[in-house]
Amino acid sequence: MQTPHLRPDIQGLRGLAVLAVVLDHAFRWPVGGFLGVDVFFVISGFVIATGLLRERARSGSIRLGAFAVRRVRRLAPASLAVLVTTVTAAWFLLTPSRFGTVLTDALWSAGALQNWRLAAEGTDYFAATTVPSPFQHFWSLGVEEQFYLVLPVLMVVLLGRGTGRGRTRLTATVLGVLVLVSVVWAFVAVSADPAAAYFSTATRAWELGLGVLVALAALRARGRSVRPLLGEGMVVVGLVAVTTSVLIGRESSGVPTPLALVPTVGTALVLLAGSGAGTGPRAAALLRWRPLVGLGTISYSLYLWHWPFILLLPLVAPVPMPVVVALALLTAIASHATLETVFRRPGLRRTLRENRLRVQLGGLAAVTVLTVVTTSFAAERVRPLPAVPAAAAAESLPAEDEASPALRARARDVAAGAGARTWPADLTPSADAISASGYVDSLTKTSDWASTLGCSLIGADWRSDGCVWGPEDGRATDVLLTGDSTGAFSAPGWRALAEDSDARLRVRDGAQIGCPFSTTALPSDTESCAAHNAEVVDELERTEPELLVVTNRFWDEDDPSLESIAEDDYASGTRDMIAAVREHVGRVVVVPATPPGYAPVSCVAGTRGPQDCRSGDEVARTQIRALTGLLADVEDTTVLDSTPLWCAAGSCPLVIDSVLTRFDPVHTTPEASVASAPALLDLLRQGDVLPGVRRSSP
């Protein structure tokens, strides 16, 4: 019988799993790479249970103390090194408030409880608009370590003492029931709270339990191999299940159930097929490929190190992601060759002597990583100012126009922001503010902006008097604002215009977070969005405002909320919705959102400056042109080119006149919305969108 620690196919499975996770985190491909963790869970359950069963067969008992010592020696050294190194790097690179959060995450991770912290915080593992913790990946280690506390005790109780197999069936039955209960609970939890269910030990226990059941099945087989043809078929089906899930699996299917059922069962089939005597099925030859086996051998260290590298190294220097992954791989090799090897067995001096070459190679890999990182940092500090050009930006300024002074002033501020190299001392909102946990919730619920942004929360009474702003004298232009969260966060600017006596606008906020004004339903919240848009249509029919303003986010293939929606379908949905309500409004104007760009929390941290955080306007201009073409046949409908509010000469700075333009990759800050409002008024006037608008002031 092949023992787990000698089975190359298991190492190959580990290599496949960690490769999927790392590629997903680094390059967002494959889309189901996160399922590599589920493969790890089944392998861990199988390997740990097999080791315990072998110990019982050899000595007649399971020594809990010895098991705990082995686990600590195996896992703690590399884990502690990552914790200490990452906390130290975060202290240098992150803002004080974010560092405090990272330090708290480190403490929870050290206690193997990070998964419960993330679940309690309501963390969305798949959120694209938030910056995750550098210790977020410790959630899976927490699940496993909690499992290691329970399984040995459970097996001691169920199996009893002695070497007989009489109680194996009872153990398998009890564990089978527990696995079934965990699966059922996973379905319930995913339906009730998918974010928390993702991290819960209770919803993940069945995956590790499945590995234990495979180990018990292999024990009952008493070393007999699965019939050759059946074994080959099990491996083929198992590998197809794992690879297909990783390549096409999407979180919208439900994680961990039902989506993780496919790769976990596939992993179980591969493990069981190779549990007999001999070298294992020929179909598993790929898993015995030496590079994949080698990757599996360092998989624990690679899993530990890759995520802090991906999040923090770009804060030191703009290192290409393939280089980041290569450096994480070298660090994992060093970690495995030193920390994992040296402390695994008692007798440090003898271990060092026996593994001298391995330790030396590991040290060389570590020195290489430090050299590359230090050199990149030094090069970043002395590199010349990139070409943005303040001169080129200045050339894009509009001609002097007495009727549009605010737009001219805005263009000057954008041009200055495009050439800035240092962060302003009075940055608004501050780096600490946007880095604080719960910042977005505070904006909509407790901040000074809550009276405006709260109108766009799901379930809010947006038809109330508190969500309409401006004069009631009957001479103001009635405006209804609608759209998704990008429209919601543009509302402070519209409110500022409504409260400006020169603008003569009366604005009602009908935008709702998560719900674009479109006939194309999002997979995330179809029912509530359809209901809200129906309410907006009713309001338009009832009030017939003079102007309908539509602001939806730009389409992005990497945006989970737009999953499975093609770009053309997304644009057509907006067009169809506007066409459907056109007869109930005097005029329609589409005001595109802020052009998407870098996550500000990362940009204002580390050694990066504003020049590293500029984005281009290509996405915005391309989609504005496409939407303009689609709406060309809809009467009195204008797609406003809003890029002059945010960009100059194709460059969109993150900071304009000391104000952060966005608090995440797609949403404008309330402060930036207000700051851009006078220039927006000029753009609307230039496009003859608003009747009777007076001259703006900068």
Side-chain angles (χ1 to χ4, degrees), residues 334-573:
S335 177
H336 175 77
T338 55
L339 298 172
E340 288 192 59
T341 300
V342 169
F343 296 101
R344 182 171 292 189
R345 297 180 180 86
L348 178 60
R349 184 176 300 176
R350 185 182 66 182
T351 303
L352 286 171
R353 186 172 59 251
E354 292 175 352
N355 296 276
R356 180 179 300 172
L357 179 59
R358 178 179 293 183
V359 172
Q360 289 173 343
L361 291 174
L364 179 62
V367 170
T368 301
V369 172
L370 288 173
T371 301
V372 173
V373 172
T374 303
T375 303
S376 300
F377 173 77
E380 172 65 11
R381 293 305 88 206
V382 300
R383 70 185 176 94
L385 181 70
V388 171
E395 291 176 1
S396 68
L397 295 176
E400 292 289 351
D401 182 354
E402 291 185 359
S404 306
L407 184 59
R408 176 78 184 181
R410 181 69 175 181
R412 284 195 297 268
D413 290 338
V414 173
R421 192 174 174 85
T422 58
W423 298 107
D426 56 345
L427 184 66
T428 306
S430 68
D432 275 349
I434 66 170
S435 301
S437 177
Y439 170 70
V440 178
D441 278 347
S442 70
L443 284 180
T444 57
K445 297 176 182 177
T446 60
S447 72
D448 292 341
W449 304 105
S451 62
T452 302
L453 299 175
C455 294
S456 298
L457 291 173
I458 295 175
D461 184 10
W462 62 275
R463 293 181 176 180
S464 68
D465 292 342
C467 296
V468 58
W469 316 296
E472 303 181 54
D473 56 12
R475 292 181 295 173
T477 299
D478 286 323
V479 178
L480 177 62
L481 171 64
T482 189
D484 58 14
S485 55
T486 58
F489 281 96
S490 73
W494 285 100
R495 182 169 186 170
L497 290 179
E499 293 173 351
D500 177 359
S501 59
D502 287 339
R504 307 299 302 170
L505 298 177
R506 183 166 175 80
V507 180
R508 178 175 293 281
D509 184 6
Q512 180 164 296
I513 293 173
C515 295
F517 191 64
S518 171
T519 59
T520 303
L522 298 185
S524 55
D525 205 351
T526 304
E527 292 184 6
S528 65
C529 286
H532 175 74
N533 282 333
E535 289 181 0
V536 172
V537 172
D538 288 344
E539 183 71 8
L540 291 172
E541 292 175 351
R542 185 180 68 83
T543 61
E544 296 190 339
E546 294 168 80
L547 182 65
L548 171 66
V549 177
V550 179
T551 299
N552 292 332
R553 69 173 58 196
F554 289 104
W555 181 87
D556 183 354
E557 63 181 350
D558 294 324
D559 189 336
S561 67
L562 300 176
E563 179 186 347
S564 74
I565 298 178
E567 182 176 1
D568 290 345
D569 293 340
Y570 183 66
S572 296

Side-chain angles (χ1 to χ4, degrees), residues 68-155:
V69 170
R70 289 196 302 271
R71 287 292 87 197
V72 170
R73 285 184 173 276
R74 169 73 177 86
L75 302 176
S79 176
L80 287 175
V82 172
L83 288 168
V84 172
T85 303
T86 304
V87 167
T88 303
W91 186 78
F92 283 104
L93 296 173
L94 302 181
T95 61
S97 64
R98 191 174 174 213
F99 171 74
T101 302
V102 168
L103 182 59
T104 302
D105 286 336
L107 295 174
W108 282 85
S109 298
L113 295 170
Q114 175 68 344
N115 63 312
W116 289 112
R117 168 170 164 77
L118 294 171
E121 292 285 324
T123 303
D124 183 354
Y125 179 86
F126 301 101
T129 57
T130 58
V131 178
S133 165
F135 296 117
Q136 181 164 296
H137 64 315
F138 269 73
W139 78 268
S140 63
L141 303 179
V143 170
E144 289 197 15
E145 288 160 21
Q146 293 158 35
F147 175 77
Y148 298 153
L149 291 175
V150 175
L151 178 66
V153 176
L154 189 60
M155 293 186 72

Side-chain angles (χ1 to χ4, degrees), residues 258-305:
L259 184 58
L261 287 168
V262 177
T264 52
V265 171
T267 302
L269 290 174
V270 174
L271 294 174
L272 187 59
S275 294
T279 59
R282 294 180 180 179
L286 172 64
L287 298 178
R288 296 190 288 269
W289 185 43
R290 292 188 65 179
L292 199 59
V293 171
L295 197 61
T297 302
I298 65 167
S299 60
Y300 175 61
S301 283
L302 181 56
Y303 182 81
L304 283 173
W305 287 103

